[in-house]
């Protein structure tokens, strides 16, 4: 598997996992679990903002964010739409980028003013691992409310998106 193919797999997984979790968050009763629902939306919004910031770094644009979250909390439907669009942006980016550019170092400025430099590859991996970290936080919160969180693992994604993988073992 090539590096670009692996990155595409990781971002397809992220899009699937985000969709599953946002759907589960939509089942949180705002009356019973308002605080937890708000906290979950804030975490996913933070993940979205970080994804947008790094998309700007990847394309050499200004991101326009002064912080790694927005002051206002979006509605869950608005967040869901924005997260879906962001996930699609990354999938399109990975379909169009020349793989040789992945190792290019790009100077960047973090929202706290610190300077940094990361390769495109490192930025992409950061976006995926960062998203997984915060989905895990929300999954733990759901579990504490006795709500079964979605199965947020690459293995589950691969077998759900490619059911023939399960049949391959049975055929041996």
């Amino acid at each position: 598997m090539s590096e670009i193919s692996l990155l595409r797999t990781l971002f397809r997984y992220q899009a699937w996992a985000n969709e599953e979790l946002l759907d589960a968050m939509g089942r949180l009763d705002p009356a019973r679990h308002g605080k937890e629902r708000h906290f979950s939306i804030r975490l996913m919004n933070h993940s979205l903002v970080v994804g947008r910031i790094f998309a700007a770094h990847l394309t050499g644009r200004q991101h326009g964010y002064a912080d790694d979250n927005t002051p206002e909390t979006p509605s869950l439907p608005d967040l869901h739409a924005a997260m879906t669009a962001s996930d699609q942006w990354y999938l399109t980016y990975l379909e169009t980028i020349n793989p040789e550019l992945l190792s290019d170092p790009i100077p960047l400025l973090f929202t706290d003013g610190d300077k940094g430099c990361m390769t495109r590859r490192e930025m992409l991996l950061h976006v995926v691992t960062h998203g997984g970290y915060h989905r895990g936080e929300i999954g733990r919160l759901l579990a504490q409310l006795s709500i079964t969180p979605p199965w947020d693992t690459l293995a589950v994604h691969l077998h759900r998106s490619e059911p023939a993988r399960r049949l391959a073992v049975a055929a041996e």
Side-chain angles (χ1 to χ4, degrees):
M1 176 180 279
S2 71
E3 178 179 44
I4 197 77
S5 177
L6 178 59
L7 286 167
R8 288 174 184 149
T9 296
L10 290 173
F11 276 88
R12 281 191 301 270
Y13 155 64
Q14 176 167 274
W16 168 82
N18 285 341
E19 182 72 23
E20 293 278 311
L21 185 58
L22 287 162
D23 285 346
M25 288 167 53
R27 293 189 295 274
L28 278 172
D29 181 355
R32 285 186 57 208
H33 303 297
K35 179 180 172 186
E36 295 87 351
R37 189 174 193 274
H38 181 262
F39 180 69
S40 297
I41 292 171
R42 294 295 298 163
L43 278 175
M44 285 300 279
N45 193 59
H46 161 71
S47 186
L48 170 67
V49 168
V50 168
R52 286 177 170 170
I53 289 170
F54 277 90
H57 291 320
L58 288 165
T59 58
R61 294 180 291 113
Q62 295 295 315
H63 53 72
Y65 289 99
D67 203 349
D68 61 4
N69 209 335
T70 58
E72 68 286 342
T73 301
S75 70
L76 187 56
D78 287 348
L79 174 63
H80 198 147
M83 186 67 77
T84 300
S86 179
D87 287 335
Q88 186 55 56
W89 183 91
Y90 277 99
L91 290 168
T92 301
Y93 179 80
L94 288 167
E95 290 298 324
T96 58
I97 188 170
N98 178 341
E100 293 175 12
L101 297 177
L102 293 174
S103 59
D104 287 353
I106 300 173
L108 54 98
L109 188 63
F110 292 99
T111 57
D112 65 2
D114 279 348
K115 294 178 182 176
C117 185
M118 297 172 75
T119 65
R120 283 184 172 87
R121 173 188 306 108
E122 291 166 339
M123 288 185 201
L124 291 163
L125 289 172
H126 173 70
V127 169
V128 168
T129 57
H130 179 261
Y133 176 83
H134 290 302
R135 285 192 311 274
E137 282 184 291
I138 297 167
R140 181 72 182 133
L141 183 137
L142 292 173
Q144 289 173 339
L145 297 173
S146 299
I147 299 169
T148 304
W151 283 83
D152 183 349
T153 68
L154 179 61
V156 170
H157 165 69
L158 291 173
H159 288 87
R160 285 190 182 166
S161 64
E162 300 174 39
R165 287 174 178 257
R166 295 206 186 274
L167 300 176
V169 175
E172 290 180 8

